[in-house]
Each structure stands twice: as structure tokens, then as C-alpha cells.
């Protein structure tokens, strides 16, 4: 019932999605061994360590936490089963994005999509397709995916949406460390390095 669809603050519900509309969906591949990150950080930050100051490059760090070798292929296969087109991947493999029809997304994720429009008339925009439903990652890909983006993010721009995805990924790493019982796991902050990119600012927590 469209009358019962709640809109986020600053947005107005317009109506349900039309089945053939195209949705750009992005899936974040699940990184492995994230519980090792605090140990790696302390190893280069501890003056008593033989590796003190020997900071890893992005490539070296990725080698420690890279997704399972089968992750990207299995996610792409799942997307194709749901009629995905224009599938794109990142290098190194961290995200897979694709175009799907709204009806396919609804079926694949067991959600309902709706059109929402900005409430503020001074910020004109086209309606966006979003859902208020909680997304549960399908069992077929739950071993390889830890984030779904494109239908739940309410950011104001593509850049902010990208920032939100990175925050979600870093938070998942931090929470994984906490679940593993590492009370000294570093907290993670974000800074803009001036080139429209993010740097990770890692700070140890006092215990």
C-alpha cells in the first residue's frame, strides 16, 4: 500500500517502481583476514618491533585481506542469473556493479522499490529509486558479499555515495576486529587528501 510507505527525512514518497526501470547495483566483496589488520598496524607502529616504520603499500595490504579467489566470479554469475547487464569490476577486486531491472532487484533482494523526491524545492532533482526494507544478502552470495549499495543510500551526490560505501566497508572491518575480541583494535577516521580521494587515518584506542 503506497500510503504506508515512509520517506526519509528530507524526501517525499512519489510512487512504486516500474518493473523495467534500470537500477545500478553495487556489491562489496567480503575481505578475508580482516582480524589481522590491528596486528599488522601494531607491528609497524611499535618501536620495539623489527618492522617498525615499515608501512605496507596499498598493494601489500590488499594481499592480506583480498576476497576469496572465487568471490568475484560467483557474484558475477549470480548477477547474470538475474539478468544483469553492463557488469563492471574494480581492480583489485573489491566491488562488482551492474545494471538490473527494478523488478529483478526486487526479486533478487526480496525488497520493494519506490520513487522518492527531495522535499526541498530549492534543490530540484529527479526521483530516485530506493527502499526502506532491510536488505538481507541472499544465501547464494552471502559468503562473498558484505555490502549492497544503490538502493538504500540516500546521499546527496555520487561522491557522497562513494564516501558512504567506503565508510561502510571500513566499519565492517572495525566491527570484525571487535568481534574477534581485540580490545585494542584501532579506530578509523577519514580525511580528504585534497584530491577528492580518501585516506584512512588509523588511531589506536586507549584501554
Amino acid at each position: 500500500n503506497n500510503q504506508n510507505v515512509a520517506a526519509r527525512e528530507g524526501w517525499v514518497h512519489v510512487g512504486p517502481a516500474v518493473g523495467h526501470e534500470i537500477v545500478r547495483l553495487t556489491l562489496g566483496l567480503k575481505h578475508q583476514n580482516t582480524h589481522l589488520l590491528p596486528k599488522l598496524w601494531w607491528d609497524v607502529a611499535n618501536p620495539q618491533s623489527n618492522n617498525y616504520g615499515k608501512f605496507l603499500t596499498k598493494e601489500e595490504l590488499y594481499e592480506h585481506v583480498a576476497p576469496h579467489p572465487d568471490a568475484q566470479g560467483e557474484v558475477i554469475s549470480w548477477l547474470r542469473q538475474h539478468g544483469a547487464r553492463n557488469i563492471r569490476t574494480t581492480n583489485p577486486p573489491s566491488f562488482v556493479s551492474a545494471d538490473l531491472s527494478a523488478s529483478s532487484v526486487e526479486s533478487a533482494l526480496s525488497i520493494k522499490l519506490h520513487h522518492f523526491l527531495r522535499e526541498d524545492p530549492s534543490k530540484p532533482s529527479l526521483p530516485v529509486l530506493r527502499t526502506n526494507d532491510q536488505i538481507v544478502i541472499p544465501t547464494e552470495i552471502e559468503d562473498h558479499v558484505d555490502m549492497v549499495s544503490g538502493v538504500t543510500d540516500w546521499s546527496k551526490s555520487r561522491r557522497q555515495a562513494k564516501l558512504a560505501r567506503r565508510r561502510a566497508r571500513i566499519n565492517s572491518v572495525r566491527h570484525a576486529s571487535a568481534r574477534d575480541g581485540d580490545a585494542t583494535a584501532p579506530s578509523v577516521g577519514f580525511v580528504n587528501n585534497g584530491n577528492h580521494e580518501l585516506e584512512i587515518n588509523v588511531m589506536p584506542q586507549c584501554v
Side-chain angles (χ1 to χ4, degrees):
N1 188 337
N2 293 335
Q3 300 299 320
N4 296 328
V5 177
R8 296 291 181 92
E9 183 178 356
W11 296 82
V12 177
H13 177 242
V14 178
V18 179
H20 64 267
E21 292 180 274
I22 298 300
V23 177
R24 187 68 178 172
L25 202 65
T26 299
L27 305 177
L29 301 182
K30 186 178 295 185
H31 288 103
Q32 304 182 102
N33 304 318
T34 55
H35 63 284
L36 298 178
L37 292 179
K39 180 180 179 181
L40 291 172
W41 186 86
W42 283 116
D43 196 32
V44 299
N46 182 2
Q48 305 302 318
S49 170
N50 292 331
N51 292 318
Y52 177 62
K54 299 178 181 178
F55 295 98
L56 301 178
T57 65
K58 289 189 294 185
E59 291 75 18
E60 290 171 333
L61 183 60
Y62 184 83
E63 289 179 3
H64 287 280
V65 298
H68 189 280
D70 296 336
Q72 181 172 278
E74 292 194 18
V75 170
I76 290 175
S77 176
W78 178 82
L79 285 168
R80 286 176 173 160
Q81 289 174 18
H82 291 279
R85 304 180 66 180
N86 298 324
I87 298 175
R88 295 183 180 179
T89 60
T90 57
N91 183 26
S94 287
F95 296 95
V96 179
S97 58
D99 293 335
L100 297 93
S101 67
S103 59
S104 294
V105 172
E106 290 181 327
S107 174
L109 299 178
S110 300
I111 61 174
K112 289 295 182 182
L113 292 169
H114 293 264
H115 286 285
F116 295 90
L117 193 63
R118 290 192 188 282
E119 192 173 31
D120 188 348
S122 67
K123 299 178 181 179
S125 65
L126 295 174
V128 297
L129 278 175
R130 295 292 185 268
T131 183
N132 284 326
D133 299 331
Q134 181 178 0
I135 291 182
V136 178
I137 296 175
T139 56
E140 301 95 321
I141 57 172
E142 65 180 356
D143 289 340
H144 299 307
V145 171
D146 62 6
M147 188 204 71
V148 178
S149 176
V151 292
T152 58
D153 40 313
W154 298 80
S155 301
K156 296 181 180 180
S157 65
R158 290 185 178 181
R159 181 172 176 272
Q160 287 181 324
K162 185 176 182 180
L163 171 59
R165 288 197 298 270
R166 293 191 182 187
R167 280 177 174 159
R169 171 53 53 78
I170 295 302
N171 283 335
S172 70
V173 170
R174 182 168 54 188
H175 294 160
S177 297
R179 286 195 304 270
D180 290 333
D182 190 342
T184 61
S187 63
V188 181
F190 295 87
V191 293
N192 191 316
N193 66 13
N195 298 315
H196 302 294
E197 294 291 338
L198 289 176
E199 295 176 351
I200 300 174
N201 182 19
V202 184
M203 297 165 288
Q205 295 180 359
C206 297
V207 296

